[in-house]
Amino acid sequence: MKRLLLGLAAFALVLALPLPAFAGGGRQPDDLRELSHKLRMYIGSAVDVTALAEEADYRQVLNREFTHITAENAMKWESVEPQRGVYTWEGADAIVRNAQRNRQKVRGHTLVWHNQLPTWLTEGVADGSIDAKELRRILRDHIMTEAGRYRGKIRAWDVVNEVVDDEGNMRESIWLTHLGPGYIADAFRWAHQADPHAKLYINDYNLEWNTAKIDTTLAIVKDLKAKRVPIHGIGFQGHLGIQYDYPADFPAVMSRFTDLGLEAAITEADVRMVMPATPEKLATQADYYQRMLATCAANDRCVEFTVWGYTDRHSWVPGWFDGEGAANIMDENLAPKPAYNALLSVRRT
Ligand code: 9MR
């Protein structure tokens, strides 16, 4: 009897101890690569091609921590074909090679966008020297050439990026204006022809919460599927800021897309703040990051969580939002911030 009581007391003591944060699989993972394996999903980062070439510490942490990468700029049209017919693949090739050496999958970003187009193209369209028929041929060639070059080396392509505006209209772009809305289906078909095994995505920002954009994007996906166009994935960029409420409906929004049979990815996560950073702001940022990753981990069809750069040393945020910054999970010296540790505590639910 005494033994039984002692046993019960010991059991009660065990119950009273705080559970480790990573309750599902015992101890918390040591780094994001281990977390990626435990969650059975890819954890990625955007890559700055200059930093990859010139900063050994940046390269080392990138290759240690991540199981997926996206070229931040090196695969965009202006980077790969700055003059008509003159291709500059060096940056994109270096990123793909580095990924292969380090057992990282690659997200191709991006085949069709309204930004970072080469000037020969935008000026040619503006001055009428490139007409609609030629423009369509140019777009086809671009997709076939780039997706073809990396055939078999890209897990997923952002085929079209940001094609819906914040009011929920089809975005005004040279593509919509000159080719009509059918350019989207064309782009997916061409990409599939060029690389039949790549998962083909539509990708956008504010899609975590903007209902007008969500509804239009859902309508586009349904229309493409009805026409048997090869579309496989929905990308939520995940550019958040702590001065705004966290988009609490995000899990439900993601399900509306995955219920259509798409896979999902969070493709460009970062969480900016008005500077200076304080411990409170960094704690809020950590919470936002954790909730984004948890949203992906809770959805069986969400396969990838990628941050838009992993260090505050290289971030698009200060250059775009006056007075804002500190959006990434490591600081400028590559020391983990609270957000990094918060990610490590996420588990599958
Ligand atoms: O991070 C990219 C930055 O270096 C470029 O100057 C910018 C140009 O438009 O594009 C940034 O990346 C964007 C991405 O390609 C698409 N979604 C929004 C990202 C942040 O602007």
Side-chain angles (χ1 to χ4, degrees):
M1 185 62 182
K2 203 168 162 197
R3 238 196 223 160
L4 179 67
L5 280 178
L6 265 179
L8 279 175
F11 184 59
L13 191 67
V14 168
L15 282 184
L17 290 174
L19 283 172
F22 201 79
R27 123 193 117 65
Q28 182 165 298
D30 289 335
D31 59 21
L32 295 177
R33 191 179 277 268
E34 190 185 347
L35 179 69
S36 167
H37 295 309
K38 289 222 165 165
L39 293 179
R40 295 185 308 281
M41 56 187 264
Y42 298 110
I43 298 192
S45 176
V47 180
D48 178 318
V49 70
T50 311
L52 181 71
E54 294 175 2
E55 297 171 20
D57 58 344
Y58 175 92
R59 190 164 53 239
Q60 194 192 347
V61 173
L62 179 81
N63 293 338
R64 182 185 71 216
E65 296 286 331
F66 297 98
T67 54
H68 213 283
I69 61 89
T70 307
E72 184 173 1
N73 291 302
M75 288 191 181
K76 292 170 180 175
W77 201 332
E78 71 170 11
S79 302
V80 300
E81 196 186 3
Q83 289 159 51
R84 193 167 183 178
V86 178
Y87 295 96
T88 45
W89 302 110
E90 294 76 14
D93 283 357
I95 286 177
V96 171
R97 228 178 9 248
N98 184 72
Q100 289 181 324
R101 276 200 216 109
N102 291 283
R103 289 172 292 125
Q104 294 162 326
K105 301 283 184 192
V106 181
R107 168 169 292 272
H109 177 79
T110 172
L111 294 171
V112 188
W113 196 22
H114 60 281
N115 275 336
Q116 290 178 284
L117 292 169
T119 47
W120 63 262
L121 178 61
T122 50
E123 280 172 8
V125 171
D127 69 19
S129 61
I130 296 175
D131 65 11
K133 199 165 161 222
E134 190 178 1
L135 184 63
R136 187 164 187 274
R137 204 163 48 230
I138 289 172
L139 181 61
R140 180 179 180 281
D141 284 351
H142 169 65
I143 292 174
M144 297 302 288
T145 304
E146 181 156 14
R149 178 177 184 86
Y150 296 109
R151 181 186 178 113
K153 297 180 177 169
I154 302 282
R155 189 193 70 79
W157 265 111
D158 291 329
V159 176
V160 296
N161 191 39
E162 303 171 2
V163 293
V164 178
D165 70 21
D166 283 292
E167 279 70 52
N169 301 311
M170 299 295 292
R171 181 184 295 281
E172 292 291 341
S173 67
I174 58 168
W175 311 118
L176 185 70
T177 306
H178 299 277
L179 307 183
Y183 80 87
I184 296 179
D186 286 340
F188 277 94
R189 289 196 177 106
W190 291 327
H192 187 61
Q193 225 178 304
D195 190 352
H197 296 298
K199 300 283 187 192
L200 304 183
Y201 273 64
I202 180 170
N203 187 50
D204 216 325
Y205 65 88
N206 291 355
L207 196 59
E208 303 81 23
W209 54 267
N210 180 325
T211 49
K213 191 177 258 200
I214 291 163
D215 289 341
T216 303
T217 307
L218 280 166
I220 292 173
V221 170
K222 286 180 188 163
D223 178 58
L224 292 174
K225 288 195 138 258
K227 293 181 173 134
R228 303 199 164 279
V229 172
I231 176 169
H232 313 112
I234 179 74
F236 298 89
Q237 292 185 2
H239 294 293
L240 304 185
I242 60 163
Q243 64 273 41
Y244 313 107
D245 287 342
Y246 183 82
D249 285 342
F250 185 20
V253 173
M254 186 182 279
S255 294
R256 290 180 73 189
F257 285 92
T258 55
D259 285 350
L260 299 176
L262 294 185
E263 66 170 52
I266 297 174
T267 54
E268 305 182 15
D270 56 13
V271 182
R272 60 189 187 270
M273 62 186 67
V274 175
M275 298 301 275
T278 63
E280 291 72 28
K281 289 182 195 173
L282 292 172
T284 305
Q285 177 185 55
D287 178 57
Y288 280 33
Y289 265 107
Q290 186 179 38
R291 289 166 82 174
M292 270 200 273
L293 178 59
T295 297
C296 188
N299 185 318
D300 283 345
R301 288 184 178 272
C302 187
V303 298
E304 173 198 337
F305 173 83
T306 288
V307 293
W308 204 239
Y310 70 86
T311 160
D312 291 336
R313 191 192 292 171
H314 301 291
S315 167
W316 69 293
V317 168
W320 283 66
F321 301 97
D322 225 13
E324 297 181 45
N328 300 335
I329 59 175
M330 292 188 186
D331 70 14
E332 299 190 355
N333 300 315
L334 313 188
K337 293 162 65 180
Y340 175 90
N341 292 310
L343 291 180
L344 290 184
S345 74
V346 171
R347 63 189 174 91
R348 274 215 183 265
T349 43

